Amino acid sequence: MAACLAALRGVQLVIVVVVAPTTTAHAQWTTSPVTAPGVQYRTFQSAAAGTSVSFHIYTPPAYDLQPLRRFPVLYWLHGAGSATAGIAPMTGWFSNAMSLGLLPPMVIVYPNGMPYGMYCDAADGSEPIETVIINELIPHVDVNFRTIASQNGRILEGFSMGGYGTGRLGIRHSGSFCGISMLAAAPMQLDFPNAPPDAPIPPARRDTIFEDVWNSDPALVVAANPWTLAAVHGPALAGNDVLIRIAVGGDDSVLSANIDFHNRLSSLGITHTFNVYQGIGHQTIPLLSAIGPSNWSFYWDALSPPLRDATEPGWADVKGLCDLPRLHASVVCVENFITKILRACRAHPWLPSRHHQRAAEGRCTNIAKSATPYTRRTALGVK
């Protein structure tokens, strides 16, 4: 034993510590499933993230009842703190609206934007959230669900951090969306660490986000902000005819920054709507409720006319009439379609009449062009 100890005294003991690579970022790419009516939990393999990424998706009852139909898609971007907390209440809000005819039947996708990912590609490459959503999630949804896989079939909307993300992604990728809705968007200030004292994200957390997302580089914050992106991508935004709305509560701490952004868009000549709702703080459903009937008009107006008449409740029945022989359909289809439109207007007088007028006029025109002179005159009421 003594000899062994003596021998060991001359040996340098080297301890190798093997540190496993961090899995924190990867672990956040998949969330726990949320249970809500009509909601599915899905994952896909992401090349950008190098791991499996989760998302939730809601399909309306009509999705199963009409297996040949394709549906527009609303991408809802969550706020900071949790990627899943808002899924159940927002699904209830939207599905109830669909059941009442306030909203056309649509698929709703809830991307996983990480609790504090800011819907950016992190500067160090660890969390390429923008790339995952735009380049991977959207194509994955279009391949695996019956969506209207074009700009005219997609709306982007979000609250708080999700409103900021909507501004970022919607402006940078305006060719992918027909409407972008920024609700109480935050953080909109260019000086990210110096937010208002009562901002939704506390100072210590902001410092962490500043480092994790932008490597604590103020220039990267400015480059990623919708304020800067609007100037860079403004011409494309106008060319793609994207409907933009900004809404914020009058008692919300992010009001001032949203007013500044509204003024910024106005100075750039970018068409948008901006409304402040008094008595509303930083709360999602209360803000949407305060918007009132015009809230639902946004979705109808964002979808192009061909999609609007295709998603009108009862349209499947009308379309079936158009499959009859031409001479009969040219009269019957027009009459029944207009009847449906008038019925909808009477049932929902708050719906924008211009939507129904455009839909009816477009459908009548298309049918009339393919009809004989006699049936064309009959269908359009010309003597």
Side-chain angles (χ1 to χ4, degrees), residues 3-363:
C4 290
L5 290 175
L8 286 174
R9 290 191 188 100
V11 177
Q12 291 184 341
L13 184 62
V14 178
I15 300 176
V16 178
V17 178
V18 178
V19 179
T22 179
T23 59
T24 301
H26 279 191
Q28 292 181 339
W29 283 112
T30 54
T31 68
S32 298
V34 171
T35 301
V39 173
Q40 303 175 44
Y41 175 82
R42 292 294 188 95
T43 62
F44 66 95
Q45 191 64 30
S46 165
T51 188
S52 181
V53 174
S54 68
F55 67 98
H56 288 78
I57 186 167
Y58 166 83
T59 54
Y63 189 89
D64 294 325
L65 295 174
Q66 301 176 33
L68 299 180
R69 181 177 177 180
R70 290 188 171 273
F71 295 81
V73 187
L74 170 65
Y75 285 83
W76 175 266
L77 304 187
H78 63 78
S82 171
T84 57
I87 293 176
M90 291 313 303
T91 297
W93 171 262
F94 287 124
S95 63
N96 182 61
M98 291 180 208
S99 69
L100 295 174
L102 306 178
L103 194 64
M106 59 174 58
V107 171
I108 302 175
V109 177
Y110 301 98
N112 174 12
M114 303 289 190
Y116 300 99
M118 307 310 299
Y119 297 99
C120 294
D121 285 352
D124 64 3
S126 62
E127 294 181 356
I129 297 174
E130 178 177 350
T131 297
V132 168
I133 292 175
I134 298 296
N135 295 347
E136 298 181 333
L137 175 60
I138 292 177
H140 176 82
V141 169
D142 286 339
V143 167
N144 290 279
F145 290 87
R146 297 194 316 278
T147 66
I148 298 171
S150 66
Q151 178 199 9
N152 289 337
R154 299 191 198 100
I155 295 175
L156 186 63
E157 183 171 37
F159 178 83
S160 194
M161 183 182 82
Y164 168 87
T166 295
R168 285 203 73 258
L169 303 186
I171 292 172
R172 273 177 56 83
H173 306 280
S174 60
S176 296
F177 306 99
C178 60
I180 60 176
S181 171
M182 303 170 63
L183 305 174
M188 296 299 291
Q189 73 277 1
L190 295 176
D191 186 5
F192 177 76
N194 297 319
D198 54 349
I201 301 175
R205 175 62 68 180
R206 284 201 301 274
D207 291 341
T208 301
I209 297 170
F210 188 37
E211 179 180 358
D212 291 347
V213 178
W214 295 296
N215 283 347
S216 301
D217 186 344
L220 295 180
V221 174
V222 173
N225 195 287
W227 176 285
T228 304
L229 297 175
V232 176
H233 301 279
L237 196 64
N240 288 318
D241 194 26
V242 181
L243 189 66
I244 304 172
R245 78 165 172 183
I246 304 169
V248 63
D251 294 342
D252 198 325
S253 63
V254 305
L255 171 62
S256 178
N258 276 260
I259 292 176
D260 290 343
F261 184 64
H262 154 61
N263 292 332
R264 169 69 163 176
L265 294 185
S266 297
S267 71
L268 293 171
I270 297 176
T271 302
H272 66 287
T273 63
F274 174 73
N275 289 287
V276 178
Y277 297 91
Q278 299 303 323
I280 303 298
H282 201 68
Q283 301 165 294
T284 313
I285 299 297
L287 176 59
L288 287 168
S289 299
I291 296 174
S294 65
N295 175 57
W296 310 114
S297 299
F298 167 78
Y299 306 100
W300 289 100
D301 288 344
L303 299 172
S304 65
L307 290 177
R308 275 177 240 169
D309 65 28
T311 56
E312 181 67 38
W315 168 244
D317 298 332
V318 181
K319 185 176 183 300
L321 292 172
C322 293
D323 294 330
L324 296 174
R326 177 180 295 175
L327 295 181
H328 181 59
S330 58
V331 178
V332 177
C333 183
V334 171
E335 292 177 347
N336 279 273
F337 183 75
I338 292 176
T339 299
K340 294 278 186 179
I341 292 296
L342 295 176
R343 185 181 303 145
C345 288
R346 287 194 295 269
H348 308 296
W350 43 261
L351 282 175
S353 59
R354 62 184 180 278
H355 150 55
H356 298 289
Q357 291 170 356
R358 283 197 297 265
E361 289 168 0
R363 184 57 53 186

